[in-house]
Amino acid sequence: MTFRDILLQQVINGLSLGAMYSLLALGFTMVYGIIELINFAHFNVFMVGSFIAMWVLEALGLSGQSRILTGWPLASVLAVAFGITMLACGVLGIVIERTALRPMRHVPGTAAMITTIGVSYILFNIILLSTGAITLNYPNPMPSMAWHIGKAVLRLREVLLWGVSLGLMVILHLFVRRTKLGKAMRATAQDQEAARMMGVEVDHVIMLTFFIGSALAGAAGLIFGLYYNFTSFLIGYTAGLRAFTAAVLGGIGNIVGAMVGGLIIGLIESVGGQLLQVRWTDVIIFSILIAVLVFRPTGLLGLSAPQKS
Amino acid sequence: MKRGTASVRVGLVAGVVSLCLVAVLLTMGGVPGTQAAPTKVLYVGITLPLTGADAEDAELIKDGALLAIEEANAKGGVAGYRIEPIILDNGTATAGQYDPAQAAVNARKLVANLGVVANIGPQMSGSGKAMAPILSEGDLATITPSSTNPDITDPKFAAQYRPKGKAIYFRTVTTDAYQGPNMANFYAEKLHVKSVYILDDSGAYGVGMANAFEKRAQQKGIKVLGHDQLNPKEADYTTILTKIKGMNPDAIYYGGVAQAGTKLAKQAYDVIPKVIKGGGDGVVGGSFLKGAGFPAAEGWYGTIAAPHITENPAAQPLVKRFVKRWGKQPDDYSFTAYDAALVIFDAIKRVVASGKPVNRHTVRDAIQTTHLQTIQGEISFDQNGDLKNKVISVFQIRFNKEYPPDDPLHQYHYIGVAPQE
């Protein structure tokens, strides 16, 4: 392998990581955009999502990487898995909002944020106690198809990961920009009080935001499982922290910023690991974050894009 | 105020009454049929990471130790004493695997309980480093059935790990001072590896193993292309694997435990399927098989720091008893734990025979002078607590479809003893 091939391979790896971080970052950034709350429960909604998806795949008769599907069966299995997982995680998001966060909404200070940390730990421990702590082998029906670009390898799972992430992000973008509910979300983000006066059901909008953010986390959880072939109760922490960093890097509250931030973090991780050592990954990521925040305190794309429109 | 005193009094009365009841129940229970059972009790601690990624293998170690204790009690105890285990969990949910901070807490608990005469554990060297100084202060001996980091017993670090001077950290396995280097010998002499990339999982055990391997590999003329550290909580190792792929080594060597190891195995199967892969005892066991799964685990080499016992014909009656009692297959560290319990029993017997009082101090001194024939051979310790008999066994994972894919006894194929200098 020449250095160019390796670099290309690292860019492919980085884009895959980045796509996953982007999907996760969207949940942080949407909730922050609407109610200015950093939702740490999001870390583990993602983790729960990967478990729900695993159970769905197992219920569909898959186990390990032994049964490979192609064509329509593969597409329908994945569609069912994505559908159920996103729905279940969305509902989980609504439940968290309704039971733990709504009572906190008018409490000043950091109470609500601390509550999300608590919820995060509850989810973490539920999964730990009900599934045990070992790393689980993930049911994966995807064939190991791959394309060669020079010596670099592009696998089907990467294409799927990019495709699904891009698709979901485009849908989200259109939803927020073009639909009435999206308009209500943007209005609530700008000024809750004024939105309420204009007849926007603010409570519903907030619930919807949690639903969409959590559903995207669920999708990311499933993608994680299919990409790495494993899941464990621990996966929320590292991925969540990177995704949160991505949201801040892109400008928290800014949807496009979250997508861009995710990709940048993913690329830094893989290319940085190639050029230096992987043990420095976190140091590199957080140094760049600090540097960006020093010179652009609102992140790369600025705070809350909705306010500008 | 009045109410306060009244409720305290009620509480006291209730407490005394319940204590009496317990006493009565105990004596009643003690009378019929169990007269032979010894009433004097000695406590033996068992400290293992029963929560987290190491739990699977830790359970097998616990089961080995408990089997020995149950068998001894069933035979009327040890020199007139019934042995009671005190099982403490060294793992935490936050760490997701063994947690040295928790191990330190457990060590303090054991030291504070004067009935405890010795301890079995820990599984992990990281925990051992946290426990050793506390145990040394308390003069409480522990026998580890699996932790292999050499520093803990190295006289160079005595000030750190045994400030009181006497050895308190004994092992029924040998150390990574042999495990890493002997595997490097095996790489060079048997697998004819010319170049290697080394990874570790940034834990005490993993770093020590990887460093010891690296040193010997260089002496053996293997070209070390690099040595990097994995974050065990990280999910993605494709970056480092892609980098390794670019260097095109003959082999990789991984020093570390299952948490990072399983993920490494999965992703290495995708990125560098043809490269020889191996590790230490961290990649031997059910946790590794279950997490990595087949085909990713296929072909991995691993070592253990003890003779291979489970397939030894002489050990078969013991294996059968284990399977009968626990309904699962043991691994070799189940029996080093079994042996650890036997060493403690033997020490207690010798203390009683000598007429000295049985306590942790006399038991420690007796453990130091152990000469005990067990299923793994003769157990005796040098003045640092290390096993005198040093054997490293090499295994390779080869899928045997007649057995469950996570059955360590049948999926690890015994290759032989690693060459020693």
Side-chain angles (χ1 to χ4, degrees):
Chain A
M1 274 178 112
T2 63
F3 186 69
R4 248 179 52 203
D5 289 329
I6 294 171
L7 212 56
L8 179 62
Q9 184 71 60
Q10 295 291 26
V11 169
I12 292 174
N13 296 343
L15 287 178
S16 312
L17 275 171
M20 208 149 33
Y21 293 154
S22 296
L23 273 183
L24 258 179
L26 286 172
F28 285 116
T29 226
M30 284 171 67
V31 168
Y32 188 86
I34 302 272
I35 52 173
E36 294 191 357
L37 169 73
I38 295 170
N39 176 18
F40 287 103
H42 199 64
F43 284 34
N44 283 323
V45 171
F46 157 74
M47 182 271 292
V48 171
S50 86
F51 275 88
I52 293 174
M54 183 180 78
W55 293 323
V56 172
L57 290 172
E58 281 173 355
L60 291 170
L62 300 165
S63 76
Q65 289 91 54
S66 51
R67 239 185 103 193
I68 301 297
L69 303 173
T70 46
W72 282 112
L74 178 66
S76 44
V77 161
L78 289 182
V80 170
F82 271 108
I84 296 178
T85 307
M86 290 176 71
L87 196 66
C89 283
V91 172
L92 178 63
I94 290 181
V95 170
I96 292 171
E97 195 275 329
R98 187 70 196 80
T99 56
L101 298 181
R102 193 175 296 178
M104 290 287 159
R105 200 180 299 157
H106 300 293
V107 179
T110 52
M113 194 184 80
I114 304 287
T115 306
T116 64
I117 296 177
V119 172
S120 201
Y121 267 101
I122 291 173
L123 294 175
F124 179 88
N125 278 298
I126 288 176
I127 293 293
L128 170 64
L129 295 175
S130 58
T131 65
I134 62 164
T135 305
L136 296 169
N137 200 359
Y138 213 80
N140 190 345
M142 301 222 297
S144 52
M145 257 165 75
W147 295 269
H148 291 266
I149 310 164
K151 284 276 176 68
V153 184
L154 176 64
R155 285 164 301 184
L156 179 64
R157 67 175 83 156
E158 275 136 8
V159 177
L160 174 101
L161 172 55
W162 298 350
V164 172
S165 307
L166 195 67
L168 288 173
M169 288 185 217
V170 168
I171 293 172
L172 178 71
H173 190 73
L174 292 178
F175 175 80
V176 173
R177 290 279 144 192
R178 299 281 160 82
T179 64
K180 228 170 174 178
L181 270 172
K183 205 175 207 174
M185 277 171 79
R186 283 182 288 147
T188 311
Q190 266 183 20
D191 189 333
Q192 270 194 36
E193 211 62 20
R196 188 174 283 126
M197 282 181 219
M198 292 296 139
V200 174
E201 290 271 8
V202 171
D203 281 349
H204 287 180
V205 168
I206 293 174
M207 258 160 73
L208 180 72
T209 309
F210 270 86
F211 180 86
I212 297 176
S214 303
L216 292 175
L222 172 54
I223 289 177
F224 179 94
L226 294 177
Y227 189 68
Y228 292 118
N229 282 335
F230 83 91
T231 191
S232 105
F233 70 107
L234 270 176
I235 62 169
Y237 178 75
T238 319
L241 199 60
R242 299 267 165 82
F244 174 65
T245 311
V248 176
L249 184 66
I252 191 148
N254 185 325
I255 290 180
V256 180
M259 303 181 194
V260 174
L263 291 181
I264 292 177
I265 297 277
L267 286 172
I268 292 173
E269 191 177 331
S270 65
V271 178
Q274 172 67 38
L275 300 178
L276 293 164
Q277 287 194 304
V278 291
R279 68 178 80 173
W280 298 108
T281 303
D282 278 329
V283 178
I284 305 167
I285 289 177
F286 288 102
S287 308
I288 290 181
L289 177 74
I290 291 169
V292 167
L293 291 184
V294 165
F295 294 106
R296 288 187 66 96
T298 53
L300 286 175
L301 300 192
L303 216 60
S304 291
Q307 289 183 354
K308 290 181 200 132
S309 54
Chain B
M1 272 311 276
K2 256 185 183 166
R3 266 181 95 110
T5 13
S7 67
V8 165
R9 197 172 296 148
V10 170
L12 268 177
V13 170
V16 169
V17 168
S18 55
L19 269 181
C20 291
L21 268 175
V22 169
V24 168
L25 284 174
L26 278 180
T27 36
M28 273 166 57
V31 176
T34 52
Q35 264 157 345
T39 47
K40 293 184 292 179
V41 175
L42 292 175
Y43 292 94
V44 171
I46 299 180
T47 53
L48 296 167
L50 300 166
T51 298
D54 319 307
E56 184 101 353
D57 303 329
E59 286 286 340
L60 289 177
I61 292 176
K62 184 189 80 180
D63 291 345
L66 283 182
L67 183 68
I69 292 174
E70 287 180 5
E71 288 181 355
N73 286 336
K75 283 182 201 149
V78 177
Y81 289 92
R82 189 160 54 82
I83 306 294
E84 276 291 328
I86 296 180
I87 300 170
L88 298 174
D89 188 350
N90 273 355
T92 58
T94 340
Q97 56 175 1
Y98 73 91
D99 186 341
Q102 183 62 39
V105 170
N106 292 342
R108 287 200 186 89
K109 266 190 208 167
L110 292 170
V111 167
N113 183 344
L114 292 177
V116 176
V117 293
N119 182 52
I120 299 172
Q123 182 186 12
M124 299 299 181
S125 303
S127 308
K129 288 190 167 177
M131 292 175 79
I134 300 166
L135 295 174
S136 176
E137 293 291 343
D139 200 26
L140 177 63
T142 191
I143 304 183
T144 175
S146 65
S147 82
T148 48
N149 182 289
D151 296 356
I152 308 173
T153 47
D154 190 333
K156 258 196 302 190
F157 300 104
Q160 201 173 344
Y161 298 120
R162 48 179 150 118
K164 284 278 154 125
K166 285 190 213 166
I168 39 80
Y169 203 86
F170 298 92
R171 313 183 201 241
T172 49
V173 289
T174 184
T175 68
D176 302 340
Y178 299 90
Q179 193 168 204
N182 289 17
M183 189 59 162
N185 295 342
F186 180 80
Y187 265 42
E189 291 169 22
K190 305 281 173 180
L191 301 176
H192 308 292
V193 167
K194 300 272 179 284
S195 59
V196 67
Y197 197 98
I198 299 170
L199 294 167
D200 67 61
D201 72 349
S202 59
Y205 156 80
V207 174
M209 280 278 281
N211 289 343
F213 177 93
E214 181 172 356
K215 204 168 150 210
R216 178 64 58 83
Q218 277 164 341
Q219 289 165 359
K220 291 298 261 184
I222 299 178
K223 199 168 171 222
V224 176
L225 299 172
H227 181 165
D228 205 344
Q229 226 157 43
L230 304 173
N231 171 357
K233 286 194 174 175
E234 179 86 68
D236 189 90
Y237 299 145
T238 51
T239 299
I240 182 67
L241 286 166
T242 303
K243 187 173 173 178
I244 294 172
K245 186 181 177 187
M247 298 179 174
N248 203 14
D250 292 342
I252 61 169
Y253 181 79
Y254 165 68
V257 298
Q259 193 177 39
T262 53
K263 292 179 273 193
L264 179 68
K266 269 183 190 299
Q267 296 173 31
Y269 174 72
D270 280 334
V271 182
I272 44 171
K274 290 195 183 112
V275 173
I276 294 170
K277 303 168 195 88
D281 47 355
V283 304
V284 177
S287 298
F288 184 76
L289 285 179
K290 204 170 258 186
F294 287 98
E298 180 78 23
W300 270 76
Y301 290 94
T303 53
I304 62 162
H308 180 44
I309 304 165
T310 51
E311 283 175 311
N312 175 352
Q316 289 320 302
L318 183 55
V319 172
K320 283 208 186 90
R321 295 208 297 276
F322 187 98
V323 174
K324 186 160 172 253
R325 175 64 183 87
W326 304 111
K328 56 185 167 187
Q329 294 289 347
D331 66 12
D332 286 327
Y333 288 160
S334 303
F335 296 123
T336 53
Y338 185 91
D339 285 354
L342 295 190
V343 167
I344 294 172
F345 302 159
D346 174 65
I348 293 171
K349 277 181 205 156
R350 281 184 288 123
V351 170
V352 171
S354 72
K356 285 184 217 153
V358 183
N359 57 40
R360 60 181 56 163
H361 311 292
T362 51
V363 169
R364 190 222 75 88
D365 294 346
I367 289 173
Q368 180 72 72
T369 56
T370 298
H371 287 281
L372 183 66
Q373 202 62 37
T374 70
I375 206 72
Q376 64 160 299
E378 194 194 86
I379 294 186
S380 55
F381 305 106
D382 65 15
Q383 75 279 10
N384 301 316
D386 281 337
L387 191 62
K388 282 190 184 157
N389 200 358
K390 302 179 196 308
V391 178
I392 302 293
S393 313
V394 183
F395 296 82
Q396 188 181 26
I397 301 178
R398 292 182 192 163
F399 186 45
N400 182 342
K401 62 178 185 295
E402 315 214 332
Y403 295 96
D406 57 354
D407 171 356
L409 186 56
H410 296 106
Q411 303 301 355
Y412 285 90
H413 180 83
Y414 179 54
I415 305 244
V417 172
Q420 172 130 21
E421 286 302 88

